[in-house]
Amino acid sequence: MAFKPANSIQDLQYFGEFGGVNPSISDSSTYTFLSAKTMFDTFEGNADGCYLYSRHSSPSNLYLGEALAAMEGTETANVMASGMGAITSVLLQLCEGGSHIVSSRTIYGGTYAFLKNFISRFHISTSFVDITNLDMVEAAITPHTKVIYCESVSNPLLEVADIGGLSEIAKKHGLKLVVDNTFSPLSISPKPLGANIIIHSLTKFINGSSDTVGGVVCGTKDFINDLRNVNAGAAMLLGATMDSLRAASILKNLRTLHIRIQQHSKNALFLARKFEADGLKTVYPGLVSHPSHNLFKTMMNGSYGFGGMLTIDVGTLEKANALMELMQHKNLGYLAVSLGFYKTLFSAPGTSTSSEIPLEEQQAMGLSNGLIRFSIGLDADIERTYSIMRDCMLELGIIKSTMA
Ligand SMILES: *Cc1c(COP(=O)(O)O)cnc(C)c1O
């Protein structure tokens, strides 16, 4: 039977202290113990269900973690202060000096910078590969490789990772497959496809209101316990802990994720088809012209569609900037980084979210100057949105009128 992630979230029951329909928010950094012995046992990791200090865990964070684990079909999860907090903790937990990582070359700019400039200082090296080429992925593996790292749908080029194929390679070589699923929550479920650890930036679609940063690591109980370990856990010791008040508010937003994703996907597919028909170079996994359209279809949870992200290439950075400014002026969305908001957000990745990547490398991976990344919003009337966007593009000469 197909995996039904939204059902898994909905089936969880939580009640507040006084029978409230939402769980009570835990507003404490520390917890009392009835006996000194229980405190000792808790620090030793032998007292399940006891809280010791909120950097380790808190009731509100566990509620949100449980819901996200249900969504991804993993045993458990640990919420973190940001997506980067999740990514850096996972990689530092899995690697040691001398380790090697095979990573997709088209990934979030911050992750790229961490791998290239930061974790390398600890003699952990990374090979960046074209993740859509499984032979190249396997060829990059060395005896020191610990991790294959990718995004299910990559930022910003929207390359689609063959998670099943990558998981076979990971299994064969005894590696962990770590998948950042930020661009495709609900649409793609990496765990049933064979991923070991799934990461999200909750900042984006999952929270959906652009009012906080947050992250999560979904995985086995053993791995999450390792992350939280008081003596050697990266989550515990690096301290990227989410605040309980935020965890409670993200959990409430998670309730509507299935409806929002359907609307983001519906609007994005509509615009992608129109843009492509207008002769714009358009990348969207829902278009038949996308090189991984069929692969995406084999991986997706039907009703959630192909997600809310699309890109167009308008040729030059000047045109891209002019179009984005005009669209913002017409209130079609905001010139802003990030994604998953109710309003459409647009940015030119080469000069913003991917600016960590050197220019030559941007060009090698197909990240061109005129690229605009859109996070399509929840617009109630997407036909109106399109017609105003089209007027903007005609005005700037980005598309030509087909009417004589
Ligand atoms: C935004 C983003 C991140 C980083 O998350 P933060 O919450 O900003 O730390 C990681 N991966 C992807 C794909 C992202 O879009």
Side-chain angles (χ1 to χ4, degrees):
M1 205 180 67
F3 186 64
K4 297 275 174 62
N7 289 4
S8 310
I9 299 172
Q10 177 157 359
D11 290 346
L12 292 170
Q13 273 192 334
Y14 299 117
F15 297 106
E17 222 175 332
F18 303 102
V21 295
N22 289 305
S24 307
I25 299 174
S26 52
D27 200 18
S28 296
S29 56
T30 190
Y31 305 81
T32 60
F33 288 86
L34 288 177
S35 81
K37 170 84 170 66
T38 328
M39 180 183 279
F40 176 75
D41 287 344
T42 305
F43 270 89
E44 293 289 292
N46 299 328
D48 246 9
C50 285
Y51 296 96
L52 51 102
Y53 186 64
S54 289
R55 175 154 39 79
H56 180 261
S57 65
S58 69
S60 294
N61 287 15
L62 292 190
Y63 284 133
L64 176 60
E66 204 187 320
L68 292 164
M71 178 181 88
E72 289 297 2
T74 59
E75 285 176 14
T76 187
N78 193 59
V79 298
M80 311 282 305
S82 68
M84 285 310 295
I87 292 163
T88 55
S89 299
V90 165
L91 293 174
L92 287 167
Q93 193 71 39
L94 294 173
C95 295
E96 57 199 17
S99 297
H100 174 252
I101 297 167
V102 175
S103 169
S104 165
R105 63 181 183 176
T106 61
I107 49 174
Y108 179 68
T111 312
Y112 178 89
F114 176 71
L115 289 168
K116 179 135 186 170
N117 308 327
F118 196 97
I119 206 172
S120 54
R121 290 164 32 194
F122 307 104
H123 304 290
I124 298 168
S125 59
T126 305
S127 300
F128 294 97
V129 299
D130 174 355
I131 204 74
T132 64
N133 184 334
L134 294 181
D135 292 335
M136 273 176 66
V137 172
E138 188 158 22
I141 293 171
T142 76
H144 302 292
T145 308
K146 292 278 198 295
V147 174
I148 299 178
Y149 184 91
C150 68
E151 296 172 1
S152 1
V153 179
S154 80
N155 181 25
L157 294 172
L158 310 181
E159 285 179 355
V160 179
D162 176 356
I163 297 170
L166 290 168
S167 110
E168 275 170 33
I169 296 173
K171 255 187 232 143
K172 183 169 150 197
H173 295 271
L175 314 176
K176 293 276 184 272
L177 175 60
V178 179
V179 178
D180 178 340
N181 198 27
T182 301
F183 273 33
S184 46
L186 298 181
S187 299
I188 293 179
S189 299
K191 171 66 177 34
L193 297 167
N196 301 104
I197 295 163
I198 298 104
I199 293 173
H200 284 276
S201 165
L202 303 176
T203 315
K204 315 296 170 53
F205 289 103
I206 291 180
N207 183 58
S209 43
S210 294
D211 57 358
T212 186
V213 289
V216 69
V217 181
C218 302
T220 61
K221 283 191 174 139
D222 282 348
F223 181 68
I224 299 298
N225 282 339
D226 284 352
L227 275 180
R228 284 189 193 137
N229 187 288
V230 291
N231 292 310
M236 182 66 182
L237 299 177
L238 297 174
T241 310
M242 178 176 283
D243 183 72
S244 289
L245 274 79
R246 274 306 180 191
S249 88
I250 296 171
L251 179 62
K252 283 174 275 192
N253 287 355
L254 181 66
R255 305 286 182 220
T256 56
L257 181 65
H258 58 297
I259 300 168
R260 289 186 280 115
I261 292 291
Q262 289 175 36
Q263 186 74 8
H264 284 299
S265 290
K266 190 175 136 220
N267 285 351
L269 181 62
F270 180 88
L271 289 179
R273 284 182 175 152
K274 291 287 188 192
F275 291 159
E276 188 169 61
D278 285 334
L280 286 164
K281 204 170 138 203
T282 310
V283 176
Y284 182 65
L287 292 175
V288 179
S289 59
H290 190 288
S292 301
H293 175 68
N294 288 324
L295 171 66
F296 196 115
K297 281 211 291 199
T298 64
M299 296 198 294
M300 77 198 283
N301 297 315
S303 52
Y304 300 107
F306 297 89
M309 303 301 295
L310 66 84
T311 69
I312 59 172
D313 191 339
V314 296
T316 65
L317 182 62
E318 291 65 38
K319 278 190 178 169
N321 288 343
L323 178 61
M324 292 190 295
E325 284 169 12
L326 186 56
M327 287 191 299
Q328 176 162 263
H329 180 70
K330 304 267 184 194
N331 199 13
L332 293 168
Y334 298 138
L335 173 47
V337 298
S338 199
L339 40 136
F341 199 37
Y342 82 99
K343 275 268 203 196
T344 294
L345 302 178
F346 31 80
S347 56
T351 50
S352 60
T353 50
S354 296
S355 57
E356 294 92 340
I357 304 172
L359 266 179
E360 323 78 70
E361 286 172 52
Q362 289 191 22
Q363 276 155 7
M365 63 176 72
L367 210 166
S368 57
N369 248 333
L371 197 74
I372 303 178
R373 182 187 80 175
F374 287 80
S375 163
I376 304 300
L378 299 172
D379 307 29
D381 185 352
I382 197 64
E383 296 193 28
R384 180 187 69 156
T385 302
Y386 167 69
S387 100
I388 305 171
M389 278 184 181
R390 190 167 180 279
D391 289 344
C392 294
M393 292 182 193
L394 284 169
E395 184 179 327
L396 296 170
I398 290 168
I399 56 175
K400 305 262 176 293
S401 174
T402 46
M403 315 268 188

